[in-house]
Amino acid sequence: MSVQSQVVIIGGEGDLAFRKLYPALYSLDCEGMLADATRVFAFGRGRFEEQDFIDEVRRWVDASEYTDAIDETVWQRFSARMIRFVGDATAAESYTRLREQVGEGDRVIYLSTPPSIFSPICQALDDAGFVTPATRIVVEKPLGESRASFEEIDSHIKSVFDEQQIYRIDHYLGKETAQNLLALRFANVFFEPLWNRHYIDHVQITAAESIGVGGRWSFYDEAGALRDMVQNHLLQLLCLVSMEPPAKNRPDFVRDEKLKVLRCLKPVQAHDVGDVTVRGQYAQGRVEDESVPGYAQEQDAKSTRSNTETFVAIKAEIENTRWQGVPFYLRTGKRLAQRRLEIIIQFKPVVHKFFDSVGGNLSANQLVIRLQPNEGVELEIVNKVPGLTEQTRLQGVDLDLSFAEVFDAHRAPSAYERLLLDVMRADQTLFMRSDELCAAWDWVDGILQGWQTNGQPVANYASGSWGPSESVDLLARDRRRWFDHQ
Ligand code: BG6
């Protein structure tokens, strides 16, 4: 069913808007999800002339990996929805003018701007009387650099909007496979009974990127991998994997369960931060057959002596009945061997060694949830190798379910399509609540403080590798290893 909202994108001439938001809105239009009356107001400073702006939108829609060749009928309809609005986003006068054009009814305001101006924007919206009960606001990371700074940013938003009107985006929650995790766990009978410390040995969550940080070095150097990827994306995935089944598929039921997980994370402190975390920084190397510079040699690097981590590995523990003693190994990094986002659930071996004289290693079952690329689910099952050998030979064999093959008639929407549609439908399930972010920051702040107290250095790793050797040691100390099957 199509939804009718007036969408205002503040920062409408910015990178995120062109790369992600307009292509996502165009795709929603292709799917018939936008009502005839829906308009998209691209609020900017007037960097582009009208026609240049539309051409630029078209260029990005065309380039998006989620759109096929442009459908001219849809494009005519979509481009007619796009209204360029020039103004100062921090001035109430702009919103008084905008109000005339937007009219009454549902409004979605997307802040695609740095958080440093969220406060004056909210103030101006309020002063202009732009915020009605049917107005929702969408905000993007980075939402703070610590709990204190998050709370400060959040307080400005909350002074104008109620929690029910605030949509804090974590685009990982919009990925199809992240949502499929809920289907996998709660719509199948065979996983949930095993989903606990009795049957699961450990969990690995890897978000590996082959790209570097070139182009946004200064921003990244202030943030680092822990704030950029772990505080939000990896912790949200960890929550989906480990939360208790929510009573119903309703926003606050799901968010309550995620919050409980975050509150159960074992705090990391100065005395153990060196044992359970690894920091790395990429040096020069080769990625996908191309020679690439190290972090400190990137063209826009401002320092050759930065101590910012571009890689982090963490052994996280959830202190509750379900997960006591089951480590969750989290790992993310830039310029790694491959782009790969996956979750591996490693089950324990069978208890009774029926096959006491098997040839080869008797592996335990493994469930691999591939979020990107080649989204799918793989289940490794132990089988007998056919043959007449005296000794039974066993081997792990993959039941491999590639979504592209199984659901070939269905287009997988981008994360932003899903999330924009949910905002228009006023569904907060896939958005983070304020208390969730506070709990996530509490845990991350502990690690940051530990690093600072101990002056924990970054270990160099060659671009194109799987990170520093200390990351291998982190698991080796527990007699485990990362599953880096190529
Ligand atoms: C962003 C981070 O939130 O996520 C980037 O700021 C990172 O550093 C990106 O590259 C990864 O997103 P995706 O969807 O490509 O995995």
Side-chain angles (χ1 to χ4, degrees), residues 141 171-172 175 209 211 216 220 228-229 233 334 339 341 372:
K141 68 181 275 276
H171 78 279
Y172 270 44
K175 290 183 189 280
E209 295 184 277
I211 54 168
R216 54 180 200 134
Y220 192 90
D228 187 48
M229 293 291 289
H233 307 326
K334 303 275 184 202
R339 176 175 186 239
L341 175 59
Q372 66 193 25

Side-chain angles (χ1 to χ4, degrees), residues 93-262:
E93 167 276 327
S94 307
Y95 301 106
T96 311
R97 275 191 296 125
L98 184 61
R99 212 177 50 199
E100 304 288 302
Q101 296 192 30
V102 170
E104 297 307 315
D106 263 35
R107 293 173 188 168
V108 169
I109 304 171
Y110 199 119
L111 297 193
S112 180
T113 66
S116 52
I117 57 167
F118 284 2
S119 167
I121 293 177
C122 289
Q123 190 60 53
L125 284 163
D126 197 28
D127 291 346
F130 196 86
V131 182
T132 62
T135 303
R136 298 183 280 286
I137 188 154
V138 187
V139 288
E140 271 277 346
K141 68 181 275 276
L143 292 175
E145 52 195 39
S146 62
R147 174 170 176 158
S149 59
F150 161 68
E151 284 188 306
E152 196 191 328
I153 295 170
D154 211 41
S155 69
H156 296 305
I157 305 170
K158 281 188 189 151
S159 67
V160 177
F161 295 90
D162 291 339
E163 182 66 37
Q164 287 71 22
Q165 296 173 289
I166 306 174
Y167 289 70
R168 300 177 191 86
I169 279 208
D170 184 317
H171 78 279
Y172 270 44
L173 290 179
K175 290 183 189 280
E176 273 292 307
T177 344
Q179 294 159 63
N180 190 45
L181 254 170
L182 301 185
L184 199 71
R185 286 192 59 195
F186 304 133
N188 290 293
V189 74
F190 37 79
F191 291 123
E192 205 47 27
L194 308 181
W195 214 256
N196 56 52
R197 67 192 167 89
H198 300 295
Y199 298 97
I200 292 181
D201 178 74
H202 74 277
V203 176
Q204 298 186 8
I205 303 181
T206 295
E209 295 184 277
S210 51
I211 54 168
V213 303
R216 54 180 200 134
W217 198 95
S218 299
F219 158 77
Y220 192 90
D221 201 56
E222 292 284 311
L226 182 66
R227 291 189 180 98
D228 187 48
M229 293 291 289
V230 178
Q231 185 273 337
N232 34 67
H233 307 326
L234 267 66
L235 284 186
Q236 287 295 320
L237 294 179
L238 175 139
C239 286
L240 296 183
V241 172
S242 62
M243 70 183 181
E244 294 299 317
K248 284 200 167 66
N249 190 8
R250 302 271 184 283
D252 276 334
F253 288 50
V254 174
R255 301 190 304 174
D256 285 348
E257 295 307 335
K258 288 198 290 161
L259 174 63
K260 286 185 206 159
V261 171
L262 293 166

Side-chain angles (χ1 to χ4, degrees), residues 3-7 35 37-40 105-108 136 423-425:
V3 288
Q4 182 180 331
S5 297
Q6 303 307 329
V7 181
T38 292
R39 298 279 172 275
V40 178
D106 263 35
R107 293 173 188 168
V108 169
R136 298 183 280 286
V423 182
M424 291 191 240
R425 287 173 172 155

